[in-house]
Amino acid sequence: MLLSLAVAAAVAGCQRDATTTAVNGDAAPAPAFTLDESALPRVNRFQASDFDAAGNACADFGKYVNGTWLAANPVPGDRTSWGAFEMLDERSQAIQRQLAEHAAASHGATGVEKIVGDIWATGLDAAAINAQGIAPLESELAAIAALDAPAKIADYVRTSAAKGQFTVFGFGPEADFMDSSMNIAYAFQGGLGLPDRTYYFDADKKDKLEAYQAHVAKVLELSGVPAADAAKQAADVVAFETRLAKVSKSSEEMSRDVSLYYNPVSPADADRLAPNFPWTKFFESQGLQAPEMFSLAIPDFHAEVSTMIADVPAASWQSYLRFHTVDSASPFLADAFAEEHFNFYSKTLRGQKEIKERGKRVLDTITRQTGEALGQMYVDVAFSPEAKERMETLVANLGEALKVRIENLDWMSDETKAKAMEKWASFTPKIGYPDKWRDWSGLATSRDSYIGNVLAANEFNYKWQLGKIGKPVDRTEWAMPPQMVNAYYNPLQNEIVFPAAILQPPFFDANADDPLNYGGIGAVIGHEMTHGYDDQGSRFDASGKFQNWWTEADAKGFMARTDKLVQQFNAYEAAPGLHVNGKLTLGENIADLGGLATAYDAMRKATEGSEDPMIEGLTRDQRFFANWATVWRRNFTDEELKVRIATDPHAPANFRAIGAPSNLPAFAAAYQCTPGDAMVRDAGARVVIW
């Protein structure tokens, strides 16, 4: 568990001349590899020709800008969604593939090249993987089969955790909510195989729960359990998880109350809460000195786990642990396991028609396990210093525009505004790639076994994370690798982060005019900045400390405005009878609204005094808003849409395309919309926050 990824709010989605740092910390030589640009997928640039000629910008702006494109670009068989983010991901993966192939073919490779090359080569060796079958897990499964008493179960949970293998709960470092300069340990809920606790109880998800139980039985059968026994054990596993789900928090609860992450307790107090799983002994088993305090998030969950260690039959624990051990390893095992994993999690649950080809799956694994190692290679060939320099200018301009907006708020007192400005002044932007690369020395990979490399990386990463507990936060670290198409805000460090891979069209184009860049990456920059002031980010001060800096009256005024945004998104219908959850998506919707408004102000400031060039027959303002909608063009499979509505704090893309613009008078003016048009909210319904 990396809490920064759970807490941080994400938006989603040439050769560098600076030297990089090799795995041993020394300066690396200029890369010998040259990227083949001709082999890369095209970028998804804004084009006025994509507009729906029969559409009406004032009725449904998303359909007007994207309808033609969406109709011509269905979701590919190996995806569950398709749009601007996915197209850039395909391009990023094409670059990564060239790098991985080069690394695998490099004789005598060392450092990050050896790591990437070893995982790539073993991941592509289907014959060796299939020949191994389930053999790589046999010793682990034998250990599980020997668990016949509560003490042995608790010991196994500790022992497997020490290898970075967590089934029942999550554990890892993050900044202390009360002192964001220091890392402490956090324990968190876990243990569920379905996306959210609601899948175990809601009538409209009953078919998915039944399919999950069938999947559990199939995985157990593949692992060597006779079919009849596997079916019975699968029922036990689902009953086990249902009990955990009863004491778990939902995605909505977790996304809208960040305080749930923080429950500081002493290890002794944790022992009293969970006597059958003593936390003092857990810290010792992880090679850690017991701290004075750590965060035992969702205490009812951990109390129930302790109770279950004592009162759930050992056979049920064996079934549960056996299933999850095999299931989590399935993507790296023989084809029968990987295909069953795909059949449930991707096909049944999300509507993906076909499994990704092996190379894409291996690249996903490399990014998950050793992402920054590959990212170090990626930025050497795919991110220019010119792009970084222009992004720095855009960030500065967006920051100035946000400052003016805060200063001019008419609903906030001077007292609260002064605190908001302190937070504004302490924003830390990170662009492209880390200033200091992570050290991968000590990670031993080979050409012997794909899952062996994965497990080695998993344990290496966990021990690296453990090394942070009780130590100062390293503010040079990133929570996303450079090749990831996304961006995020971390409230504990008050930082906004933009990996290199998102800095491409339609988000960012060094050769494009200002309106396109401000409507694309400019709005993303504004979005991440506004996360510092959304309903959860606003609970952290300028230093990243979790404390209230609002007057009571301002807090009430803020809530009244955000409640209107909840109502706006609750009214959007994603599919017949399936409405957007305005509360679940509130933070992202606040960020979209504030980000787009701030980017518009910054664009107007950057272009003031110059004549509007009327490119492709469109005004600057029209191009600005049109590229915002272009960013949010996205098709979903029906099943993927259902999962996102239940679990994703981001609203479906088509509603992001129209939600924020419908609240901005500047949009109505740009497209000459009039009161009564669907994209024009009257004064009473219009939401203005930041």
Side-chain angles (χ1 to χ4, degrees), residues 451-462:
I451 193 169
N453 285 332
V454 171
L455 293 175
N458 192 62
E459 183 171 355
F460 177 83
N461 287 330
Y462 177 60

Side-chain angles (χ1 to χ4, degrees), residues 28-29 32 41 58 92 113 120-121 126 161 163 173 181 221 223 241 244 261 265 371-372 438 459 619 671 678:
C58 299
S92 175
E113 271 202 354
W120 175 257
K163 295 182 286 187
S181 69
E221 189 176 346
S223 76
E241 292 187 17
L244 287 179
Y261 289 87
V265 299
E372 198 170 296
R438 179 180 166 184
E459 183 171 355
T619 66
Y671 285 91

Side-chain angles (χ1 to χ4, degrees), residues 445-510:
T445 57
S446 72
R447 298 293 172 98
D448 296 334
S449 169
Y450 182 40
I451 193 169
N453 285 332
V454 171
L455 293 175
N458 192 62
E459 183 171 355
F460 177 83
N461 287 330
Y462 177 60
K463 289 180 177 177
W464 177 68
Q465 294 288 351
L466 289 185
K468 301 178 185 180
I469 294 173
K471 295 179 181 176
V473 171
D474 182 351
R475 298 197 60 161
T476 68
E477 286 182 4
W478 284 43
M480 288 179 182
Q483 69 272 26
M484 184 172 287
V485 184
N486 214 327
Y488 70 93
Y489 168 72
N490 183 349
L492 290 159
Q493 304 306 320
N494 201 30
E495 62 186 11
I496 52 175
V497 186
F498 307 96
I502 199 174
L503 304 179
Q504 301 178 74
F507 298 94
F508 173 76
D509 186 345

Side-chain angles (χ1 to χ4, degrees), residues 352-423:
Q352 187 173 321
K353 293 181 177 62
E354 59 194 53
I355 194 169
K356 286 184 178 180
E357 59 89 16
R358 183 173 291 275
K360 287 184 177 181
R361 286 182 276 147
V362 176
L363 288 173
D364 287 342
T365 299
I366 294 173
T367 290
R368 280 193 301 269
Q369 298 290 349
T370 57
E372 198 170 296
L374 180 55
Q376 185 173 336
M377 299 165 63
Y378 177 92
V379 299
D380 273 339
V381 299
F383 189 64
S384 70
E386 292 79 16
K388 184 166 185 172
E389 183 179 349
R390 188 162 182 193
M391 266 295 292
E392 288 169 346
T393 299
L394 284 167
V395 169
N397 291 351
L398 264 293
E400 287 302 314
L402 179 60
K403 178 175 183 284
V404 172
R405 292 189 70 83
I406 294 172
E407 289 173 338
N408 291 331
L409 289 175
D410 60 6
W411 58 270
M412 180 179 281
S413 69
D414 289 342
E415 180 182 349
T416 303
K417 197 176 291 185
K419 295 293 186 181
M421 289 307 303
E422 286 180 17
K423 189 163 189 176

Side-chain angles (χ1 to χ4, degrees), residues 39-174:
L40 303 181
R42 68 180 180 87
V43 294
N44 181 25
R45 283 188 169 85
F46 166 86
Q47 297 180 113
S49 58
D50 284 336
F51 289 3
D52 183 353
N56 181 347
C58 299
D60 184 340
F61 188 57
K63 185 176 183 300
Y64 170 72
V65 174
N66 296 326
T68 298
W69 187 93
L70 292 171
N73 289 273
V75 178
D78 67 348
R79 292 269 186 176
T80 60
S81 60
W82 186 247
F85 284 87
E86 291 81 0
M87 292 182 76
L88 278 186
D89 182 59
E90 288 285 324
R91 185 175 173 86
S92 175
Q93 284 213 338
I95 296 171
Q96 294 170 47
R97 182 184 291 264
Q98 291 187 36
L99 292 166
E101 289 173 343
H102 171 73
S106 297
H107 299 291
T110 60
V112 295
E113 271 202 354
K114 180 182 187 304
I115 291 168
V116 171
D118 285 348
I119 300 176
W120 175 257
T122 55
L124 256 62
D125 192 348
I129 294 170
N130 284 323
Q132 287 180 332
I134 200 169
L137 300 183
E138 284 178 349
S139 62
E140 197 76 19
L141 298 182
I144 292 171
L147 303 178
D148 57 4
K152 290 183 179 180
I153 293 168
D155 187 60
Y156 175 81
V157 172
R158 289 188 289 267
T159 302
S160 58
K163 295 182 286 187
Q165 298 167 20
F166 285 89
T167 301
V168 190
F169 62 89
F171 181 81
E174 186 50 88

Side-chain angles (χ1 to χ4, degrees), residues 32 159 178 362 429 467 567 584 592 620 644 664 667:
T159 302
M178 292 295 108
V362 176
Q567 294 168 18
L584 171 63
D592 277 354
R620 280 186 183 127
R644 294 202 179 216
L664 300 182
F667 168 80

